[in-house]
Amino acid sequence: MVYHNLKALIKGIRACKTVADERALIQQESAAIRASFREEDVYARHNNIAKLLYIHMLGSPAHFGQIECLKLVASPRFTDKRLGYLGIMLLLDENQEVLTLVTNSLKNDMNHSNMYVVGLGLCTFANIASEEMSRDLANEIGKLLGSSNTYIRKKAALCALRVIKKVPDLADHFISKAKNLLTDRNHGVLLTAITLTTEMCQIDENCLNEFRNAVPLLVRNLKALVTTGYSPEHDVSGITDPFLQVKVLRLLRLLGKGDARASETMNDILAQVATNTDSTKNVGNSILYETVLTILEIEADSGLRVMAINILGKFLGNRDNNIRYVALNTLNKVVGMDTNAVQRHRNIILDCLRDGDISIRRRALELSYALINEQNVRILIRELLAFLEVADDEFKLGMTTQISLAAERFAPNKRWHIDTVLRVLKLAGNFVREEILSAFIRLVAHTPELQAYTSSKLYTALQDDISQESLTLAALWVIGEYGDVLFDGSVVDEDQPKQITDKDLLDLLLTTLDSPYANSLTRQFLMASITKLASRPTTSLPQQQRIAEVLAKYTTSPELELQQRAVEFASLFTLGDLRSGVLERMPPPELKATVMGVVSENKPVGSTQSGKDADLLGDEMTPPTPVVNGQATHNNHDLLAEIFGSSPAAPSPTHGRTPSVSPQPQKSSVQDILGLFDSSPSPASPAPAPSPATSAFATFSPQPQSQAPPRPSPQQQHPPAPRLTSYTAYDKQELKITLTPQTSAARPGVVNIMARFQVSGSNAATGLNFQAAVPKSQQLQMLPMSNSDVQPGATETQQMRVMGPPGSNIRLRLRISYTLAGQAVQDQIDFSGFPPGLTGSG
């Protein structure tokens, strides 16, 4: 059955009872439309295109109607043109070759005497214009920007916006026209003109300087909007044209940034907007938010900045979660700018920690960390510890790290510092990074006057709870090292002194051995701890025999690590007096700050590899060998050797470590590589693996170390010191990627690049996939990324090498994908920020 018009087709499709019936009907109707197109029926073409567009909206193929849409556009009738242009916008995009046929029709219609036909052409151009079409019709757009018709000027301004996005070089072509449009009294034209001007200022520094002279004009426009009375044509909830006000504020923000003179011109109007805008409605809040952002971005005076931060403080008391989230997010960005002003809102920020919305709690937590200083450290840490007690597990790892770092940095005294870390270990001992535990042990070792106090506190804490792993590890370490002092004094339990014996102490330690919370690491710590206690003169002979029995029991353990330690520790009992010398207290390890750069792995201590109890015998705690992308990266020097071609020294074996056996990661596909340049391999044959001799592109996908770049000849094994200038390649969505090129005069045409990955917020970027491609004249080789999960404060790296003709410029196309706070992020950029001639001269 053939449907003669769109209404009948819609009725027929809706009457279908099953999807199969609907699909069959659409196929039948599509065949009928094809047949009608072949007959060149002029009168039926309009109905057929209308039906075809409906079929396209349902998701069925409709590309065969593209040429017929062009024929409709050529019709003199307005209704045909309107439907034809609608079909072109739906069925074509800027990559279609048919698009070149549309350019002439658009040019003709832009010069039409009917303004609505001109509007159709402009609307189509703004939706589908390619780079080539933008160059061809830029002059026509420029002429229409000067039209006396506001309807045409408004649409032409949006077309000019499309042109400069496709061809940034043409921005200069529209500067004078855009300046004229900024004086327009029509709100629609002014809105599109400001949008065009904002885009031009963002892409071209010269345009920014040109439009700074327009600041007084923009200030007058904004003042007119703020002070004007009721205007029914533009009123939204009692505010005159809030959309235009927001656009003006955003443009002022761009023009005032880094320019004191322009900022001074807009100070008064910004203060007026901030004080006169009604904040009881969402429309007013949107204007206030843009005003705050503008004040904080420009060179505003301090009083105005305080006013802006106070507005954000008021937002925190709003019942709308979205407004509170925006306020917290903005305060996080400006807290470093004026900390004292933000400190005034500390109480309401802490109240947000108890909010039901997890995203608000997360942002309030980040802001609380930034507010900690010497004056308020006791108050804020107390509040954070109270929140840690009830916090979700996903917060605890970051909280234990931040609280411990703040205590280390701002602690009023060492007693308070130790008490704070002990409280952290009690509340969230299963969520403590190894670096934090290591820093705590260093602190105790360097504070002899508090070693008895700390041992006492850990003894009572271990009596109350053995389920917190880091607490257990800290207790085993400290008691093993300084447990003998417990017998000299007494254990303070709930402020009551209590004498203990060596049997009490050993009984408590041995309860951790067979507890349901014990794992290999705690058992290793325990064996070292009791071995040290056995060598102390305060331990009686019966207890020494108990310790020997425990060690003997584990000499046949099926777990190799435990068995090895048990055998080695048991053999110490045969050394007589020499044993005391071997097991004496270790000297205090080097005291160093636990900076966030060191905290590089988002793992609690219990997930590290075994062998940590070697620290009890005198070694300082060191992080385990990280496993990166399924491979153990045993030595950073090995990685550098693969990149720079030098021969690393043979690594010394690490005590108590077992090599990691890991699966080989999958190779990246040619489809992924070619996809970066919108190409695809031939489906007829399987895609070959890229090689330096045949592949034009490479990718930053993880690959086995066996695929590392080949070593250069011995004459090339000593490159000079690299140039350490870093270039920012990507800084969006809380992820920053910098590239540091390193060259060697001995190898022109070869550039080694170190990529560094950092996150700016408190959320980790997980599952980071970093790919790249280079032009056909260049080749790319790379090593695996150090870690595909980038934690806050950590810096992950990846080494790569670009080889090309000497003197050529390096250009990279980068594709980045990762997950941030549960949201998938994908982006693609072109990077050509390296200085020219980096590859040297031939």
Side-chain angles (χ1 to χ4, degrees):
M1 177 180 179
V2 177
Y3 298 93
H4 296 289
N5 56 44
L6 177 60
K7 186 176 181 180
L9 176 63
I10 294 173
K11 188 174 181 181
I13 289 176
R14 288 182 174 177
C16 293
K17 297 185 181 300
T18 66
V19 175
D21 291 343
E22 180 181 316
R23 191 180 298 116
L25 189 152
I26 290 174
Q27 289 176 349
Q28 179 184 352
E29 187 63 26
S30 296
I33 292 173
R34 278 195 187 91
S36 179
F37 284 161
R38 284 194 292 270
E39 295 171 5
E40 293 291 335
D41 189 339
V42 177
Y43 297 101
R45 183 178 292 132
H46 186 281
N47 274 336
N48 285 333
I49 292 296
K51 290 187 288 184
L52 194 61
L53 294 183
Y54 183 71
I55 289 173
H56 171 74
M57 290 169 58
L58 294 177
S60 298
H63 56 278
F64 57 87
Q66 293 171 348
I67 299 299
E68 301 301 319
C69 290
L70 291 175
K71 293 178 181 177
L72 273 184
V73 166
S75 169
R77 297 171 56 199
F78 177 77
T79 53
D80 285 348
K81 282 184 179 293
R82 182 173 61 184
L83 186 62
Y85 277 128
L86 177 61
I88 287 173
M89 285 186 278
L90 289 174
L91 301 181
L92 293 178
D93 59 46
E94 59 181 277
N95 299 318
Q96 299 281 346
E97 293 182 2
V98 182
L99 200 62
T100 55
L101 304 176
V102 184
T103 304
N104 196 48
S105 297
L106 287 174
K107 187 172 183 178
N108 292 335
D109 286 338
M110 285 179 184
N111 293 307
H112 202 279
S113 58
N114 186 330
M115 70 174 187
Y116 297 109
V117 174
V118 177
L120 287 176
L122 291 172
C123 186
T124 305
F125 177 90
N127 277 280
I128 66 169
S130 62
E131 181 179 341
E132 183 181 358
M133 182 185 286
S134 297
R135 292 185 185 277
D136 291 342
L137 297 178
N139 289 332
E140 305 298 323
I141 302 298
K143 292 176 186 176
L144 294 176
L145 284 172
S147 170
S148 60
N149 190 310
T150 57
Y151 175 82
I152 292 177
R153 288 203 305 275
K154 176 174 64 177
K155 289 183 177 292
L158 294 179
C159 289
L161 180 64
R162 175 83 177 195
V163 170
I164 64 173
K165 282 186 174 181
K166 292 296 174 185
V167 192
D169 297 343
L170 292 178
D172 294 342
H173 185 72
F174 298 108
I175 289 179
S176 59
K177 300 287 186 182
K179 283 184 177 178
N180 293 334
L181 291 179
L182 289 176
T183 63
D184 206 296
R185 293 184 176 274
N186 182 278
H187 281 216
V189 176
L190 189 55
L191 186 69
T192 56
I194 291 175
T195 305
L196 173 63
T197 304
T198 302
E199 183 67 25
M200 293 168 70
C201 291
Q202 286 175 331
I203 65 174
D204 192 340
E205 187 72 23
N206 294 328
C207 291
L208 189 62
N209 296 327
E210 285 280 351
F211 283 104
R212 283 212 164 99
N213 297 328
V215 169
L217 174 61
L218 293 169
V219 168
R220 285 199 300 272
N221 285 333
L222 184 57
K223 189 171 184 178
L225 290 171
V226 173
T227 59
T228 188
Y230 176 71
S231 174
E233 184 181 359
H234 306 110
D235 182 83
V236 179
S237 298
I239 294 177
T240 304
D241 206 341
F243 301 101
L244 183 55
Q245 289 193 46
V246 167
K247 287 286 187 182
V248 173
L249 287 167
R250 287 180 181 172
L251 182 54
L252 288 176
R253 185 155 77 239
L254 279 175
L255 298 176
K257 184 177 181 181
D259 190 301
R261 183 179 176 185
S263 299
E264 187 178 354
T265 306
M266 60 184 79
N267 272 342
D268 290 342
I269 186 60
L270 291 175
Q272 192 173 349
V273 174
T275 53
N276 294 343
T277 303
D278 182 12
S279 62
T280 60
K281 296 176 181 176
N282 210 36
V283 177
N285 286 328
S286 65
I287 293 175
L288 284 173
Y289 176 61
E290 289 297 333
T291 305
V292 167
L293 293 182
T294 302
I295 291 172
L296 296 174
E297 192 78 18
I298 67 172
E299 307 299 317
D301 58 51
S302 58
L304 204 55
R305 288 183 184 276
V306 171
M307 179 190 292
I309 292 174
N310 288 340
I311 291 173
L312 294 175
K314 289 181 182 178
F315 281 178
L316 292 178
N318 198 296
R319 288 179 296 178
D320 189 328
N321 281 359
N322 293 324
I323 293 176
R324 288 156 67 204
Y325 178 85
V326 162
L328 288 168
N329 216 25
T330 309
L331 285 171
N332 265 309
K333 296 176 182 176
V334 303
V335 66
M337 188 184 301
D338 193 343
T339 308
N340 291 332
V342 181
Q343 288 280 6
R344 298 190 187 103
H345 308 283
R346 187 178 68 205
N347 291 335
I348 194 168
I349 291 168
L350 292 174
D351 287 341
C352 291
L353 290 175
R354 292 180 278 277
D355 194 273
D357 190 320
I358 190 171
S359 60
I360 289 179
R361 294 202 301 273
R362 181 178 286 112
R363 290 290 172 260
L365 202 54
E366 294 171 7
L367 191 51
S368 300
Y369 301 148
L371 291 177
I372 299 174
N373 57 32
E374 291 88 347
Q375 288 73 39
N376 61 24
V377 63
R378 291 178 182 270
I379 298 171
L380 281 177
I381 291 295
R382 184 170 64 243
E383 292 287 343
L384 291 174
L385 287 172
F387 178 60
L388 177 61
E389 195 165 2
V390 297
D392 299 327
D393 285 352
E394 64 181 284
F395 288 130
K396 289 183 177 178
L397 185 63
M399 287 193 69
T400 56
T401 302
Q402 294 289 353
I403 291 173
S404 301
L405 292 175
E408 181 178 297
R409 184 177 178 187
F410 301 114
N413 55 67
K414 290 189 175 181
R415 170 79 174 260
W416 182 89
H417 186 181
I418 288 175
D419 284 339
T420 299
V421 181
L422 284 173
R423 183 67 177 156
V424 168
L425 296 177
K426 290 178 185 178
L427 293 176
N430 291 323
F431 301 90
V432 176
R433 286 187 172 97
E434 177 187 332
E435 291 80 7
I436 299 303
L437 182 57
S438 179
F440 174 68
I441 288 173
R442 286 199 298 271
L443 173 65
V444 175
H446 279 269
T447 317
E449 69 274 13
L450 292 175
Q451 286 169 357
Y453 171 80
T454 308
S455 301
S456 171
K457 285 289 187 181
L458 285 169
Y459 177 86
T460 54
L462 202 58
Q463 279 184 315
D464 297 334
D465 186 5
I466 60 172
S467 65
Q468 303 298 324
E469 184 176 0
S470 290
L471 176 65
T472 303
L473 294 177
L476 291 173
W477 199 102
V478 173
I479 292 174
E481 208 51 48
Y482 313 112
D484 51 321
V485 299
L486 293 175
F487 310 122
D488 299 337
S490 59
V491 172
V492 178
D493 187 7
E494 297 180 357
D495 298 328
Q496 296 295 324
K498 176 184 175 184
Q499 292 291 336
I500 66 166
T501 64
D502 55 349
K503 182 179 183 302
D504 296 331
L505 183 59
L506 188 58
D507 287 343
L508 176 62
L509 295 184
L510 292 180
T511 57
T512 64
L513 190 61
D514 298 316
S515 79
Y517 306 104
N519 57 30
S520 176
L521 188 59
T522 56
R523 290 190 180 100
Q524 292 166 33
F525 267 63
L526 172 74
M527 292 171 68
S529 179
I530 61 177
T531 302
K532 280 209 161 189
L533 283 176
S535 69
R536 303 293 187 255
T538 52
T539 305
S540 63
L541 186 60
Q543 303 311 318
Q544 291 186 30
Q545 291 173 348
R546 284 182 65 191
I547 293 171
E549 291 171 2
V550 172
L551 294 176
K553 173 184 172 183
Y554 279 91
T555 55
T556 57
S557 170
E559 189 173 339
L560 183 60
E561 293 286 343
L562 289 177
Q563 183 190 113
Q564 179 182 348
R565 278 153 182 72
V567 170
E568 291 175 356
F569 293 162
S571 66
L572 292 176
F573 279 73
T574 64
L575 297 180
D577 294 338
L578 187 60
R579 180 183 66 170
S580 300
V582 174
L583 297 176
E584 66 182 5
R585 286 186 185 178
M586 63 173 279
E590 179 188 356
L591 194 60
K592 56 185 178 181
T594 311
V595 295
M596 279 306 294
V598 174
V599 183
S600 59
E601 297 195 27
N602 189 14
K603 297 187 293 185
V605 174
S607 63
T608 60
Q609 294 179 352
S610 60
K612 286 293 178 245
D613 61 320
D615 302 324
L616 293 170
L617 299 178
D619 296 332
E620 182 184 349
M621 283 194 172
T622 53
T625 300
V627 177
V628 178
N629 294 328
Q631 293 187 336
T633 57
H634 298 288
N635 194 322
N636 287 337
H637 296 291
D638 295 340
L639 292 178
L640 294 173
E642 295 294 344
I643 286 293
F644 296 112
S646 60
S647 300
S652 59
T654 304
H655 176 67
R657 302 279 168 86
T658 55
S660 300
V661 180
S662 53
Q664 296 290 325
Q666 295 179 353
K667 297 180 180 178
S668 60
S669 64
V670 173
Q671 286 89 340
D672 286 343
I673 300 169
L674 296 181
L676 292 174
F677 285 85
D678 300 323
S679 304
S680 58
S682 171
S685 60
S691 67
T694 60
S695 174
F697 313 107
T699 175
F700 288 123
S701 298
Q703 54 180 318
Q705 287 184 339
S706 60
Q707 295 181 359
R711 297 181 183 273
S713 61
Q715 291 84 354
Q716 300 170 342
Q717 289 188 350
H718 301 286
R723 293 175 290 179
L724 299 178
T725 304
S726 296
Y727 301 87
T728 300
Y730 184 82
D731 193 359
K732 301 178 185 175
Q733 299 286 342
E734 299 188 23
L735 177 67
K736 182 177 182 180
I737 302 174
T738 58
L739 303 179
T740 306
Q742 300 174 336
T743 60
S744 170
R747 303 198 67 192
V750 177
V751 179
N752 298 305
I753 301 172
M754 168 74 81
R756 291 182 172 84
F757 309 87
Q758 296 172 305
V759 289
S760 55
S762 65
N763 298 311
T766 58
L768 176 61
N769 184 22
F770 184 49
Q771 296 178 315
V774 294
K776 293 182 179 180
S777 61
Q778 298 172 352
Q779 297 168 10
L780 181 67
Q781 298 173 331
M782 39 68 71
L783 285 177
M785 192 182 299
S786 62
N787 196 338
S788 60
D789 294 342
V790 185
Q791 302 302 326
T795 300
E796 304 303 341
T797 59
Q798 183 158 15
Q799 305 265 17
M800 72 282 300
R801 172 185 287 171
V802 177
M803 293 170 286
S808 61
N809 295 334
I810 294 180
R811 293 185 295 112
L812 299 170
R813 176 162 291 183
L814 308 178
R815 175 177 289 174
I816 306 106
S817 63
Y818 56 96
T819 302
L820 186 75
Q823 298 293 322
V825 179
Q826 288 188 339
D827 207 347
Q828 180 173 305
I829 58 169
D830 291 329
F831 176 75
S832 56
F834 290 145
L838 193 63
T839 53
S841 57

